[in-house]
Amino acid sequence: MRKKPFRLTPYQVQFLLVVGFTTVGYALYLRYLGIELSTVGLACDAGLQTLICKARAVSTVLFKNSVFGIVALVVATLNLMRPSIVLLTVGIIAAGLGIVLYNVVLSGLAIGLLILGFARPAPATA
């Protein structure tokens, strides 16, 4: 039985674009308006219980432990071995968050592996 190569449909590409832009947009919002903005940091450290403070606390713990980069690297490796749209989506989310939220090295390597997942041999010519 011959295995079909992994190819995305146009709808899957559009879905991945929306997911990628949304993830990076939220990560930029969280980084520049939640983590690095001093007034928000002071308010959250003083005990303010808002959604941005909870997101700030969770993301700070996650990027200090390199969770975004490690998850992106593991998922990209799995996607390289057995490509699927689910793994590609999770990998794009984790890598997008990792690139913006200070896990650049591992997330950059994961993006390279995600791109390498599309490499396949050319079809045989007659």
Side-chain angles (χ1 to χ4, degrees):
M1 182 173 213
R2 189 163 179 209
K3 183 179 164 191
K4 283 179 32 180
F6 178 65
R7 293 186 188 183
L8 297 174
T9 65
Y11 293 114
Q12 290 173 333
V13 172
Q14 291 172 357
F15 172 74
L16 289 174
L17 282 171
V18 169
V19 167
F21 281 121
T22 304
T23 301
V24 171
Y26 179 71
L28 287 169
Y29 166 76
L30 189 60
R31 178 177 176 173
Y32 292 111
L33 295 177
I35 295 172
E36 291 187 2
L37 192 62
S38 62
T39 55
V40 173
L42 291 172
C44 290
D45 291 340
L48 186 65
Q49 296 295 321
T50 61
L51 188 61
I52 189 70
C53 290
K54 291 184 191 313
R56 179 180 187 269
V58 168
S59 65
T60 303
V61 168
L62 291 177
F63 74 71
K64 280 185 180 177
N65 294 315
S66 298
V67 173
F68 297 125
I70 292 170
V71 168
L73 193 58
V74 167
V75 170
T77 304
L78 290 173
N79 186 58
L80 186 62
M81 292 187 292
R82 189 92 169 145
S84 76
I85 186 68
V86 175
L87 287 174
L88 191 59
T89 304
V90 172
I92 287 175
I93 291 171
L97 288 170
I99 288 288
V100 177
L101 294 174
Y102 311 107
N103 293 142
V104 180
V105 174
L106 292 174
S107 295
L109 184 59
I111 289 174
L113 286 176
L114 287 172
I115 292 170
L116 193 61
F118 289 108
R120 56 190 169 270
T125 58

